[in-house]
Amino acid sequence: MNETVISPPNSIVTEASLLGCLLHNNDFLTVCEEFAIREDDFYEPRNKVLFRTVYDLINSGKVADITTISNKLATEGLLGEAGGIEYLMQITEDIFSVSEKSVTAYSEIVKEKSLHRKMITICRDCISSSMSQEDTFENISDRATTNLVNLSNEKNVATTFLVRDVVESEIKSLRDRLKSESFLVGLDTGYDRLNDYTSGLKGGEMVIVAGRPGMGKTSFALNLAANIARTDNAVLFFSLEMPKEQLVQRIIASECGVNSQNLMTGRMEPPELKRLWEKIDRVNKLPIYIDDAAFLTIPSLRSKTKKLISKGVKIKALFIDYLQLMNSSIKDDSRVRQIEDISRNIKLFAKDMDVPIIALAQLSRKVEERSGKKIPMLSDLRDSGSIEQDADLVMFVHREEMYDKNTERRGTAEIYLEKNRHGSTGIIPLMFISEFTKFRSVSPEEEVGFH
């Protein structure tokens, strides 16, 4: 019984036409480069060899024609593998149309077929790994997600724009802001002073909120998330340290003005219960999504976010609590190297999704070892200097009372904005109401106490 062999997606004729156009006019290679055409995008082995040779010749400043190509191939002993002189002459003679428009069309077809073949390979690898069960489901899933994201990024996307087009877009945004009397470019943080420094949290930004344990990083991040969500912006909060129930308790305590400990135990006085019932409905309406899986990698971060988006949720900000608890997909014994990989990919994902990603981070013990005031510095970021390098904003949560129980500044906090890629740095004074796990802006009278 004969079985029909189905070839992977390909168009050998289009590949030959594309190569023929390149031989007629070497300048058309720039069109191929716009589509990120590479040797492995060709299905026909002869075409792979020819494209590599044409590419090498043109990029070395030489002319790529039948004479130079055949000479280079003969020198390398590859002329037969490339189909010989006869095939070279054939692809130049069989060209129906030689123009930038036709090269664009050929490039698009060649790339599309290649992407489909690569998709098939990824899926086959998944099937093979799952059938053998030689690896864990999480590793197979993460590997597949990473490969699919990388494959998606190969798809041609316009990255070059005329200044005029960008100016028109920026002027429209400016007019909208003037009309609304809002001078924020990004998301409202809920803290006026922080907004003044940052103009809001903007798409593509990687924001680091760091501090030593107990400073209130998670509480501050939850306050930011609630402030963003209150203006009907959906937020996705990844919590690797705290279960969803505890996070929700903190949100309720902060938003309703009730004691977090009383909320947990149920020992609440009538006035407190009254506040809870009056305000709980607005907590229910906050579009905050929580993922409290203890295992999180960059591929799973991408996969979970895009899965939520596919359901129609328009995510405007991501939070990660916290960065150093994430798992790396790279096989490297160096934790510093792994953190570098995680940090870089968080920044790339923020740019890809055009949303701010607020990642919490631990500071090293060097802060405690410092004499005098224990003010954090950028060098205190634990495990890797790449976090500082990749971040657009770095802010430290600092509360003096955590080091000096007798301080007169109990209940106060400072956000040290130590890096701001698009603006100035400074200190944002806040009040911290510990029983509500809430950070709030200070009044002019209260700010006097900070000096």
Side-chain angles (χ1 to χ4, degrees):
M1 183 177 178
N2 293 327
E3 292 186 2
T4 303
V5 178
I6 301 174
S7 297
N10 70 83
S11 178
I12 296 175
V13 172
T14 306
E15 292 178 4
S17 297
L18 179 57
L19 288 168
C21 287
L22 288 176
L23 294 183
H24 275 284
N25 188 340
N26 290 178
D27 290 342
F28 287 148
L29 184 64
T30 58
V31 178
C32 294
E33 289 175 334
E34 287 178 7
F35 283 84
I37 299 292
R38 300 192 301 253
E39 175 188 345
D40 64 358
D41 289 318
F42 291 84
Y43 180 72
E44 168 63 44
R46 292 177 298 180
N47 295 339
K48 287 178 184 287
V49 178
L50 284 177
F51 181 78
R52 182 179 68 237
T53 306
V54 170
Y55 187 88
D56 289 346
L57 281 169
I58 296 174
N59 275 284
S60 63
K62 299 174 182 176
V63 173
D65 57 21
I66 292 179
T67 303
T68 58
I69 291 171
S70 58
N71 180 65
K72 181 174 172 58
L73 289 169
T75 302
E76 295 174 352
L78 298 172
L79 186 57
E81 193 176 326
I85 297 290
E86 298 80 8
Y87 185 63
L88 271 169
M89 294 182 67
Q90 179 188 330
I91 63 175
T92 56
E93 292 171 358
D94 291 348
I95 299 298
F96 177 75
S97 171
V98 180
S99 67
E100 184 173 340
K101 189 174 182 180
S102 58
V103 173
T104 299
Y106 299 154
S107 296
E108 190 169 9
I109 292 170
V110 169
K111 193 67 178 183
E112 187 75 12
K113 300 292 185 186
S114 171
L115 291 173
H116 281 295
R117 293 197 301 274
K118 290 174 182 177
M119 174 76 82
I120 291 169
T121 300
I122 292 169
C123 293
R124 280 177 177 165
D125 287 345
C126 273
I127 293 170
S128 176
S129 297
S130 291
M131 289 294 288
S132 67
Q133 297 184 43
E134 292 178 355
D135 207 345
T136 65
F137 171 80
E138 287 79 10
N139 287 343
I140 295 170
S141 176
D142 281 355
R143 191 161 59 245
T145 302
T146 298
N147 290 335
L148 287 171
V149 168
N150 291 337
L151 187 61
S152 178
N153 289 337
E154 276 194 45
K155 185 70 176 176
N156 178 52
V157 178
T159 56
T160 306
F161 300 92
L162 186 63
V163 167
R164 180 180 63 222
D165 297 332
V166 181
V167 168
E168 289 174 359
S169 174
E170 287 300 308
I171 291 299
K172 183 183 180 301
S173 297
L174 176 59
R175 283 177 178 150
D176 290 341
R177 291 196 296 274
L178 290 171
K179 188 176 179 180
S180 66
E181 297 185 349
S182 171
F183 298 100
L184 290 180
V185 178
L187 298 171
D188 187 349
T189 66
Y191 301 103
D192 292 341
R193 188 71 65 83
L194 184 56
N195 285 340
D196 289 342
Y197 281 113
T198 64
S199 300
L201 303 181
K202 295 169 281 296
E205 286 187 335
M206 175 180 171
V207 181
I208 295 295
V209 175
R212 287 294 294 153
M215 284 294 171
K217 296 187 301 296
T218 300
S219 295
F220 182 64
L222 286 172
N223 287 178
L224 282 175
N227 293 342
I228 292 169
R230 205 174 293 122
T231 51
D232 205 28
N233 291 302
V235 170
L236 177 54
F237 198 107
F238 290 94
S239 175
L240 288 89
E241 191 173 37
M242 197 176 293
K244 59 183 180 299
E245 292 81 8
Q246 290 183 23
L247 290 177
V248 171
Q249 284 175 5
R250 290 194 177 199
I251 294 172
I252 292 173
S254 176
E255 291 295 297
C256 298
V258 298
N259 187 293
S260 58
Q261 189 69 23
N262 293 348
L263 183 64
M264 186 173 63
T265 62
R267 295 176 181 174
M268 302 178 74
E269 297 296 324
E272 202 168 31
L273 274 172
K274 185 173 182 293
R275 288 199 303 275
L276 176 67
W277 301 135
E278 284 176 348
K279 298 179 180 180
I280 192 64
D281 190 49
R282 77 178 187 182
V283 177
N284 279 332
K285 293 178 180 177
L286 291 174
I288 299 177
Y289 297 81
I290 296 174
D291 186 303
D292 64 352
F295 185 90
L296 184 69
T297 61
I298 291 295
S300 58
L301 174 76
R302 290 194 191 109
S303 177
K304 291 178 177 185
T305 303
K306 293 192 173 183
K307 184 176 181 180
L308 200 56
I309 291 171
S310 71
K311 294 179 180 179
V313 180
K314 295 180 179 178
I315 300 296
K316 294 297 183 181
L318 267 67
F319 287 77
I320 303 170
D321 185 14
Y322 57 90
L323 186 150
Q324 285 104 333
L325 286 179
M326 290 185 68
N327 294 84
S328 175
S329 299
I330 66 169
K331 295 179 179 179
D332 195 310
D333 293 334
S334 168
R335 186 55 180 164
V336 171
R337 177 70 188 88
Q338 290 178 352
I339 293 296
E340 286 176 354
D341 177 69
I342 291 168
S343 173
R344 181 61 182 150
N345 278 287
I346 287 175
K347 172 58 183 174
L348 291 174
F349 189 47
K351 188 175 180 181
D352 177 46
M353 294 297 296
D354 192 29
V355 300
I357 296 183
I358 300 91
L360 278 61
Q362 285 278 27
L363 295 178
S364 68
R365 288 192 177 90
K366 288 189 294 184
V367 180
E368 272 87 22
E369 296 168 2
R370 197 164 293 134
S371 60
K373 285 195 171 185
K374 316 292 185 181
I375 307 299
M377 298 187 297
L378 289 170
S379 59
D380 296 326
L381 282 168
R382 194 169 142 194
D383 290 323
S384 174
S386 67
I387 298 176
E388 174 194 346
Q389 178 182 320
D390 295 330
D392 297 278
L393 296 170
V394 178
M395 56 186 89
F396 300 125
V397 182
H398 179 72
R399 291 162 51 215
E400 191 175 308
E401 64 184 291
M402 296 305 295
Y403 296 116
D404 182 5
K405 300 299 181 184
N406 299 317
T407 180
E408 297 178 356
R409 301 177 61 189
R410 291 184 65 82
T412 66
E414 287 150 326
I415 304 299
Y416 284 83
L417 183 56
E418 288 296 304
K419 181 181 178 182
N420 184 3
R421 200 187 297 275
H422 309 296
S424 58
T425 58
I427 304 172
I428 297 97
L430 298 174
M431 301 302 294
F432 180 63
I433 310 170
S434 59
E435 60 267 32
F436 300 160
T437 63
K438 184 178 182 66
F439 288 85
R440 66 167 177 81
S441 297
V442 300
S443 66
E445 295 79 16
E446 289 171 328
E447 189 168 352
V448 174
F450 283 83
H451 301 294

